[in-house]
Amino acid sequence: MNIKFVKIPEVRSFTLFGGIPELKTNIIKENKIYFDISFHTKTRLSLSIQSGTVTFRLNEHSEYSLANNLTFVEEKSWSYFHGQQTVNNYFKLTKKQNMQVLKNHILSLTEKLFIDLHLNELVNKDTFEIEVRTPIELLNNNKE
């Protein structure tokens, strides 16, 4: 899988009630997936995944994060939209947990997503693209 970090676009669109079947169809059709990174706080990063116009928040641990004891900040909140409690595990940006570590975490999350969606053939596919839409502050820090 090829992964590249790009600046967040000025305008994005998404489907409010997009579902898993539509996400799976878009992944197969486009051969590409997008991750959006946003700051939850100055050092906590929120991740969401998008294919086509379907988007899902993806603030959870990956096999890579568990194996390497990465630091996350767990926040529980109430979703008035879904009528239930939600738990987010925000990636903690530190000197040790830099952009390379975040990249490995994103790759691990993508592999888990493909396995959960029964898209195992995409896990080791060299031509599959992951575009990580990133705040400009992170892109500038990554170049240093």
Side-chain angles (χ1 to χ4, degrees), residues 84-126:
Q84 62 188 15
Q85 186 179 36
T86 60
V87 177
N88 286 300
N89 290 292
Y90 296 106
F91 184 87
K92 181 84 169 158
L93 193 61
T94 64
K95 286 186 179 188
K96 179 186 160 212
Q97 289 185 194
N98 56 21
M99 292 297 283
Q100 183 59 47
V101 174
L102 179 60
K103 177 181 176 180
N104 293 337
H105 173 60
I106 289 171
L107 285 170
S108 184
L109 282 175
T110 304
E111 289 174 8
K112 181 183 182 306
L113 175 72
F114 289 168
I115 290 166
D116 290 349
L117 292 176
H118 305 290
L119 296 172
N120 301 12
E121 68 278 3
L122 295 178
V123 170
N124 295 316
K125 191 174 178 184
D126 290 336

Side-chain angles (χ1 to χ4, degrees), residues 60-72 74 89 91 96-97 101 104-106 108-109 112:
E60 59 184 63
H61 294 278
S62 65
E63 286 185 32
Y64 174 81
S65 70
L66 295 172
N68 291 284
N69 292 325
L70 298 185
T71 304
F72 286 77
E74 183 181 280
N89 290 292
F91 184 87
K96 179 186 160 212
Q97 289 185 194
V101 174
N104 293 337
H105 173 60
I106 289 171
S108 184
L109 282 175
K112 181 183 182 306

